[in-house]
Amino acid sequence: MATPNKETLLDWYHQMVLIRRFEERCAELYQQGLIGGFLHLYIGQEATGVGAIAALKEHDHVITAYRDHGIALARGLDPKRVMAEMLGKVDGVSGGKGGSMHLADRERRFWGGYGIVGGHLPLAAGIALASKYEDRGEVVLCLMGDGATNIGYFHESLNLSAVWELPVVWLIENNQYGMGTSVARASGVTELVKKARAYGDNGRGMKEGPRIDGMNVLEVYEQVSEAVEYARKHGPILVESLTYRLQGHSMGDPERYRTKEEVEQYVASGPIGRFRAYLIEKYKNIEPKLDEIDARALEEVDEAVEFAKNSPDPTFEDLVRHVYVD
Amino acid sequence: MPEITLIEALRQAMDEEMERDERVFITGEDVGRRGGVFRATQGLYDKYGPDRVIDSPLAELSIVAIGIGAAMVGMRPICEIQFADYIFPAFNQIVNEAALIYYRTGGDWNVPMVIRAPYGGGIGGGLYHSQSVEAFFAHRPGLKIVVPSNPYDAKGLLKSAVRDPNPVMVFEPKKGYRLIKGEVPPGEYTVPIGPAAVTREGTDVTVYAYGMMHYYVLQAAEMVAQRDGISCQVVDLRTLVPLDTKTVLESFKKTGKALIVYEDNRFLGYGAEIAALLSDEAFEYMDGPIRRLTGPDRPGVPFAHTMQDFYMPNPDTIADAIRDLAAY
């Protein structure tokens, strides 16, 4: 694991701020009716996505669930094309077919957000099998929410990856609620990383990885980097990142399942503010630089929205295309 | 030309495709050391090793999903579901991922994979080892579906399926695995996915079928020709999706009468689509009701042989249906 230098740290800061501003704007566009359907914001969880993806090499793979905007941007997808996808335009990453929950980019080996909870887990195992089959040395980072650890896919996929020693980092983003149901109300164990124990023992099979502070981008980076290298050398590992979404499950969530006080407590310890404070303490006179990054992120979001608004709507021809490869 | 069984033809196809392309691998329950529950993969484990003929845990959704994931990044998996009846845990993966990936990515990437599953009754398998499941999957665009009825097509279609850039489901008539024999030429050939085959030319009644039912339809057509002088045009659909509408329509126009035979449940079964196509695009040629001879609308194929026999169309019941229609 490379120790991140100042430039890298500032890049992470930029990514986190960009994701935040991008999603805040998405919320506005949703209220204005420019983004339709469902919108699941990553706000509050940015440190997990940014730190975990920073731990990967370019040839590694990423796959996640439907709360995917932050993951897509952290993986380097063009904010313009992501925003165009949010608005359902032809210049979107999938030409408007996928929308918010199904971002993807083959070039960046980002195999998508998936709308069926848990459904992408065995696909991650398949991608990892190909890596192992051809001795490619590529690791798959598979992110999932806490809710996904209760569905059958999770158990089959973890078991399979253990038996076949597949290079996968299974990363649970435990934001403490599966929609409105808390972890304790949905899972037999609340320390979700312990579920690894069912699929490995005595150094064989699934490795039980750490339970990490998902609001701290440095910790996420360090721990996931170790996990990635473990997976590359030995096989699958389960990691749990403790995080929190500061917004509702999706837009229009009345949030009756949690208190205002609870949310405020997490707002105060939010990942971006914490990281900013860390940078200010670590580097003298960095605040102007951070302000500059803040401003740049805002500009990028403005540009992305402009681009998306100007992109044409898909046509009937687009609707009927892409069913079969000729 | 050597005569081989349908299952031997399938085995040859997999062997040749693995030989041809190192990206091809097989996974499924007991496909490796044991050689598959029906021995479709026998000998391949010894020849290609455990890395290419991979015994999976008993976990159908993973068997399919592993294939999808691997295909997304360039592999050519062949996933075996032991019995079509077991495919439902993988239903989501097939209809929501395999069928949808190319579409949802706006053509950015695709899923070149094969899902093989033995289907159908007639071997006393009972409720969970006899089902026909093609209609569930034919309903979802994005999947191709083939059902071979003889060794030549079985080999040629499976080879095409492995090379196809789309997900292809191959439903294999398990009763015919060893019962149906036929000539298969040595050496390389493929049967394209898409075209149906006219397997008997006739002028009175057109009969459509696939898989095991096609085997019986040919027998029935011979019976009514001999005893009743009825001339049947028989179409082996071979590929259910995409459907060869041209051959289906042309064969109907010759006779004006259509009988569609399938052993799946009648209601919303595959034959209903053929009937709809004919009424829509060949209405002026109709010279009688479009008939279906099918399994009854019951949720499973029962175990007892008497009930199983009632369940499945057979050459005698097919011949009766042909006579009825011819007399109309």
Side-chain angles (χ1 to χ4, degrees):
Chain A
M1 178 186 65
T3 308
N5 58 24
K6 184 177 172 185
E7 196 187 334
T8 303
L9 294 176
L10 288 175
D11 178 39
W12 295 353
Y13 178 78
H14 170 246
Q15 286 182 37
M16 289 166 69
V17 174
L18 175 65
I19 293 168
R20 179 69 61 95
R21 296 290 100 81
F22 185 95
E23 290 204 307
E24 287 167 350
R25 189 65 62 84
C26 286
E28 286 172 31
L29 294 168
Y30 190 88
Q31 312 282 13
Q32 293 165 17
L34 288 170
I35 293 176
F38 300 93
L39 183 67
H40 307 86
L41 300 178
Y42 198 57
I43 289 177
Q45 300 179 218
E46 296 92 341
T48 294
V50 170
I53 286 170
L56 298 176
K57 293 189 164 48
E58 229 172 83
H59 69 217
D60 291 331
H61 304 269
V62 186
I63 190 165
T64 188
Y66 55 86
R67 198 179 299 282
D68 61 350
H69 318 144
I71 307 300
L73 293 173
R75 189 57 175 170
L77 272 68
D78 180 353
K80 293 193 184 77
R81 294 199 60 208
V82 176
M83 190 60 90
E85 190 65 39
M86 306 294 297
L87 269 67
K89 299 299 190 78
V90 290
D91 294 306
V93 292
S94 65
K97 282 205 172 89
S100 155
M101 291 188 266
H102 312 103
L103 303 171
D105 188 313
R106 187 159 54 99
E107 298 300 309
R108 296 215 153 56
R109 301 191 165 204
F110 172 51
W111 299 102
Y114 286 80
I116 304 280
V117 169
H120 66 292
L121 271 65
L123 303 188
I127 296 166
L129 177 70
S131 171
K132 192 178 159 84
Y133 187 95
E134 296 194 327
D135 228 350
R136 300 175 182 173
E138 301 159 2
V139 169
V140 182
L141 172 68
C142 178
L143 300 108
M144 73 197 87
D146 43 271
T149 70
N150 302 318
I151 199 166
Y153 303 107
F154 175 84
H155 303 281
E156 281 199 24
S157 304
L158 262 68
N159 182 59
L160 198 79
S161 68
V163 174
W164 292 351
E165 297 174 328
L166 301 176
V168 190
V169 176
W170 303 107
L171 178 58
I172 306 165
E173 294 189 79
N174 180 355
N175 68 16
Q176 306 180 39
Y177 294 92
M179 200 176 268
T181 304
S182 68
V183 169
R185 292 175 63 216
S187 176
V189 288
T190 51
E191 285 187 38
L192 300 176
V193 77
K194 284 183 179 169
K195 294 189 182 189
R197 294 177 193 178
Y199 308 107
D201 204 6
N202 295 325
R204 182 182 169 270
M206 181 67 53
K207 164 99 170 160
E208 181 181 333
R211 208 171 185 230
I212 62 183
D213 177 1
M215 307 299 260
N216 179 345
V217 68
L218 285 160
E219 180 173 335
V220 174
Y221 169 73
E222 283 164 16
Q223 298 285 347
V224 176
S225 292
E226 281 182 23
V228 166
E229 288 326 301
Y230 178 88
R232 214 182 297 283
K233 288 198 188 88
H234 307 291
I237 176 168
L238 181 65
V239 180
E240 179 180 1
S241 175
L242 296 170
T243 181
Y244 197 80
R245 65 172 153 69
L246 298 173
Q247 303 285 322
H249 163 75
S250 61
M251 299 299 287
D253 178 355
E255 299 187 56
R256 292 201 187 92
Y257 50 87
R258 60 186 190 182
T259 62
K260 270 191 184 148
E261 291 72 27
E262 179 183 299
V263 178
E264 275 160 15
Q265 177 198 326
Y266 281 100
V267 170
S269 62
I272 297 177
R274 264 172 80 177
F275 191 44
R276 188 182 168 96
Y278 166 86
L279 291 170
I280 288 169
E281 196 182 303
K282 188 175 166 88
Y283 300 109
K284 269 187 192 160
N285 304 323
I286 195 141
E287 274 193 274
K289 179 73 190 163
L290 299 178
D291 292 343
E292 192 188 309
I293 290 173
D294 291 346
R296 177 153 59 93
L298 213 47
E299 279 168 26
E300 285 172 276
V301 172
D302 285 341
E303 284 166 20
V305 173
E306 190 64 17
F307 175 84
K309 283 182 174 172
N310 289 328
S311 174
D313 288 319
T315 62
F316 178 79
E317 291 307 308
D318 293 311
L319 163 78
V320 297
R321 280 199 309 161
H322 301 134
V323 179
Y324 295 99
V325 187
D326 292 331
Chain B
M1 252 194 297
E3 198 165 78
I4 61 172
T5 60
L6 197 147
I7 198 158
E8 174 58 23
L10 293 164
R11 186 186 307 126
Q12 283 184 10
M14 286 187 276
D15 189 2
E16 289 177 19
E17 289 307 292
M18 292 188 81
E19 183 90 49
R20 184 186 61 80
D21 185 348
E22 283 202 350
R23 298 171 303 169
V24 178
F25 70 88
I26 299 173
T27 190
E29 292 153 12
D30 281 313
V31 295
R33 287 187 191 184
R34 194 181 186 279
V37 66
F38 289 103
R39 303 281 189 268
T41 53
Q42 193 159 43
L44 300 180
Y45 180 89
D46 291 335
K47 185 167 176 186
Y48 297 103
D51 293 339
R52 295 191 66 195
V53 187
I54 309 170
D55 282 319
S56 75
L58 203 162
E60 281 80 12
L61 83 82
S62 303
I63 293 167
V64 169
I66 279 279
I68 299 169
M72 276 162 41
V73 294
M75 307 300 293
R76 295 278 172 160
I78 301 173
C79 301
E80 178 180 302
I81 300 294
Q82 226 168 45
F83 286 81
D85 316 51
Y86 304 171
I87 206 166
F88 299 109
F91 194 75
N92 176 59
Q93 297 293 332
I94 297 169
V95 303
N96 270 336
E97 316 296 4
L100 207 55
I101 293 277
Y102 185 64
Y103 189 74
R104 63 159 269 188
T105 60
D108 194 19
W109 76 76
N110 56 309
V111 181
M113 72 179 299
V114 176
I115 300 167
R116 294 180 41 243
Y119 83 96
I123 63 160
L127 302 168
Y128 299 108
H129 298 78
S130 306
Q131 294 176 29
S132 300
V133 303
E134 64 274 15
F136 293 108
F137 298 101
H139 186 65
R140 177 57 65 101
L143 303 168
K144 292 186 178 181
I145 301 179
V146 300
V147 188
S149 71
N150 60 71
Y152 181 89
D153 286 348
K155 181 172 177 181
L157 284 169
L158 181 51
K159 284 168 76 84
S160 292
V162 172
R163 300 176 195 190
D164 200 281
N166 300 284
V168 183
M169 305 186 79
V170 182
F171 292 118
E172 303 163 359
K174 62 172 150 329
K175 185 178 171 60
Y177 268 159
R178 289 178 174 76
L179 176 69
I180 303 177
K181 298 188 178 75
E183 289 185 341
V184 170
E188 164 73 13
Y189 76 93
T190 58
V191 172
I193 294 174
V198 174
T199 50
R200 186 181 175 109
E201 297 276 355
T203 52
D204 296 329
V205 173
T206 304
V207 189
Y208 301 93
Y210 48 91
M212 197 62 211
M213 289 301 113
H214 176 263
Y215 181 76
Y216 288 158
V217 163
L218 281 184
Q219 293 177 10
E222 185 58 28
M223 281 161 61
V224 296
Q226 299 280 343
R227 292 181 208 167
D228 310 279
I230 300 170
S231 165
C232 287
Q233 169 96 357
V234 177
V235 179
D236 182 356
L237 294 170
R238 300 198 292 189
T239 294
L240 304 190
V241 184
L243 174 63
D244 179 357
T245 54
K246 187 164 167 279
T247 302
V248 168
L249 288 166
E250 280 172 2
S251 288
F252 180 67
K253 289 173 184 175
K254 281 179 73 180
T255 68
K257 290 180 175 176
L259 172 68
I260 310 140
V261 185
Y262 55 102
E263 67 174 284
D264 191 8
N265 301 127
R266 182 185 197 82
F267 188 78
L268 290 176
Y270 188 79
E273 189 60 33
I274 304 283
L277 174 74
L278 297 178
S279 69
D280 193 20
E281 296 194 25
F283 184 71
E284 293 82 1
Y285 295 83
M286 250 185 235
D287 191 28
I290 297 170
R291 289 257 166 89
R292 287 175 288 161
L293 182 67
T294 69
D297 286 323
R298 294 297 177 270
V301 184
F303 166 68
H305 70 88
T306 51
M307 288 192 283
Q308 177 181 269
D309 290 348
F310 286 129
Y311 194 104
M312 293 178 67
N314 61 50
D316 292 326
T317 58
I318 296 167
D320 285 344
I322 293 171
R323 285 186 201 105
D324 265 10
L325 191 54
Y328 183 89

